[in-house]
DNA sequence: CATTGTGAATTGGTTCACAGCT
DNA sequence: AGCTGTGAACCAATTCACAATG
């Protein structure tokens, strides 16, 4: 079904480059997905403020996008949470969105590497608020193993496989140094984990069928440096005021 | 020159949505920039391995992209570091890339918020390896102010403005809770900081001309959940082996 | 009648395929 | 002979603009 569209040009049968890393077989476009997470946050805020209806103009402004794409994104979702002449049903849409994103299912998450970053994530409220249940913490430093972080004991990386099995871990966050990342990734995959969020600054190799995403902090810093350097007015935030017609 | 292409449809003059958040006036495409940071990393590794030449096929494989786009990206850079029949000059290209990204200029970075995440970043070697100099740390918790992190004292957030001036801070990383982020952002901007990397889970409002980027860890987790949930074989990593023709 | 939902138009990014160098 | 550089073709994402509708 999705094994590499054989669009190669005839010869060169052994080239084996990733044809489209970051691509997806079907489903919502990646760009839409990234925005959906923002919409969900905006909806939660609106819900907290007691609003039960949001028109696309306001909604879009709060999310930092324009309203056309917001409407298009939401239309891709299916479901019927917008009412013409009125706006979107906050509660219903939030629920629908969360379900679509897979946040209504329990994810049992292991954090591999309990340095500052790993501990930061372990304590991150956003985790458990969205159906991510912290199931295990690992570290390879014997000085750290056994400590309790966020009411979970840090387990030895040596016991990775068995602990993963014990706790039914189905998602892993890797917050370990770059050089260790590939080995750990291999072990996670061998242990049956098919969803990995990687904070290590390396391009991981993983077999087809394993979902790997990467958060790269120095990438963001470098791109920021580029814009700063160029003196280009990049904006990821919403311009605060725009005094034009 | 770049104040909002007046492409509105005539009426609705006061709508004031962000026309294209994340857009840029000119310069390299965003997608290319993201890859450039990966290329740079690959080049550094190659350099460390003593290679002084890389053909696009190998280069692309290591970076997890296909070779056509790698060549296209590098061609956008200008400069003449590829030699036909041979490959790319590792040293020269790395240098050129770093310069293009603005990494040859000194960035004096303040980290605002010294929780686990802030401390993780403060200790992150990737920072100083790329021209990012840690200039100041801030926190608003009196218990934390005065402590030394990474041989820098944590300063009170009350003194933000003066310390920024003192140290010529020109880039800030915000690792503070969501609710505090907008206020802090405003103060940073008022103090003259025009480049901000935001880790708080909020959409910041900032005036035009201020570069804001966001790293959103729960976004990544949610997108991962989506793919996991859908059972779609998303791949951000390089498929390890591809046994097809 | 304000606001959604969506085809059509546009813009942007990726891949193909090969000419051009070395 | 081998590999880069790039126009052309293709595909994806965004924006426009307006018909549909509660």
């Amino acid at each position: 079904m999705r094994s590499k569209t054989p669009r190669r040009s005839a010869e060169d049968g052994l080239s084996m480059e990733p044809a489209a890393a970051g691509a997806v077989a079907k489903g919502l476009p990646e760009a839409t997905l990234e925005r959906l997470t923002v919409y969900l946050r905006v909806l939660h805020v609106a819900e907290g403020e007691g609003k039960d209806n949001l028109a696309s103009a306001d909604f879009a402004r709060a999310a930092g996008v324009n309203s056309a794409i917001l409407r298009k994104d939401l239309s891709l979702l299916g479901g019927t949470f917008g009412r013409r002449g009125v706006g979107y049903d906050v509660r219903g849409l939030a629920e629908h969105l969360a379900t679509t994103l897979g946040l209504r299912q329990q994810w049992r998450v292991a954090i591999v590497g309990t340095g500052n970053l790993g501990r930061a994530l372990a304590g991150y409220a956003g985790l458990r608020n969205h159906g991510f249940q912290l199931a295990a913490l690992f570290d390879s430093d014997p000085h750290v193993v056994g400590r309790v972080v966020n009411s979970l004991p840090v387990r030895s990386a040596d016991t990775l496989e068995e602990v993963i099995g014990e706790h039914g871990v189905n998602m892993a966050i890797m917050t370990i140094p770059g050089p260790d990342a590939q080995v750990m990734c291999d072990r996670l995959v061998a242990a049956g984990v098919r969803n990995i969020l990687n904070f290590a600054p390396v391009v991981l190799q993983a077999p087809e069928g394993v979902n790997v995403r990467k958060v790269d902090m120095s990438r963001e810093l470098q791109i920021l440096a580029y814009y700063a350097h160029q003196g280009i007015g990049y904006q990821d935030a919403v311009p605060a005021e725009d005094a034009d017609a």
Side-chain angles (χ1 to χ4, degrees), chain A:
Chain A
M1 16 63 97
R2 32 176 315 290
S3 62
K4 197 121 304 115
T5 37
R7 211 152 7 97
R8 305 208 161 289
S9 55
E11 67 284 271
D12 107 326
L14 63 158
S15 110
M16 202 214 94
E17 286 166 12
V24 114
K26 61 178 196 158
L28 299 167
E30 170 79 18
T32 294
L33 280 172
E34 300 201 347
R35 287 187 299 264
L36 292 186
T37 65
V38 180
Y39 302 160
L40 183 54
R41 189 134 57 207
V42 171
L43 288 170
H44 284 147
V45 171
E47 209 168 348
E49 291 170 349
K51 294 180 184 142
D52 44 28
N53 207 87
L54 259 188
S56 66
D58 296 344
F59 194 165
R61 190 154 30 241
V65 301
N66 80 34
S67 61
I69 204 153
L70 181 140
R71 291 198 302 276
K72 178 84 64 175
D73 284 339
L74 295 183
S75 82
L76 296 178
L77 246 58
T80 167
F81 298 98
R83 296 232 322 267
R84 296 180 201 231
V86 182
Y88 293 91
D89 173 46
V90 169
R91 182 80 58 120
L93 183 54
E95 187 53 35
H96 184 55
L97 241 168
T99 306
T100 304
L101 286 173
L103 306 179
R104 285 290 167 271
Q105 119 171 36
Q106 265 291 14
W107 297 105
R108 283 175 298 280
V109 178
I111 293 180
V112 182
T114 54
N116 280 314
L117 182 55
R119 291 201 304 279
L121 288 167
Y124 181 43
L127 270 188
R128 65 174 35 65
N129 289 347
H130 288 296
F132 298 99
Q133 186 197 332
L134 200 49
L137 302 173
F138 295 100
D139 207 291
S140 54
D141 179 349
H143 291 104
V144 174
V145 170
R147 280 198 207 169
V148 172
V149 171
N150 247 70
S151 63
L152 266 186
V154 176
R155 312 288 304 258
S156 164
D158 295 341
T159 64
L160 189 89
E161 290 77 5
E162 69 184 273
V163 174
I164 281 176
E166 251 169 51
H167 290 84
V169 166
N170 51 11
M171 190 174 277
I173 301 178
M174 299 212 310
T175 48
I176 54 180
D180 308 347
Q182 184 62 57
V183 176
M184 246 4 184
C185 173
D186 293 344
R187 288 182 59 192
L188 286 166
V189 170
V193 176
R194 292 164 52 90
N195 305 294
I196 298 175
L197 182 58
N198 174 35
F199 283 79
V202 294
V203 178
L204 289 180
Q205 318 274 135
E208 174 125 350
V210 175
N211 301 314
V212 179
R213 285 188 73 85
K214 184 158 133 60
V215 176
D216 188 336
M217 299 184 286
S218 79
R219 167 207 282 178
E220 300 304 321
L221 221 40
Q222 291 178 19
I223 295 178
L224 192 57
Y226 170 80
Y227 288 120
H229 176 61
Q230 296 286 314
I232 289 173
Y234 177 90
Q235 281 282 48
D236 196 16
V238 180
E241 49 90 40
D242 256 7
D244 72 9

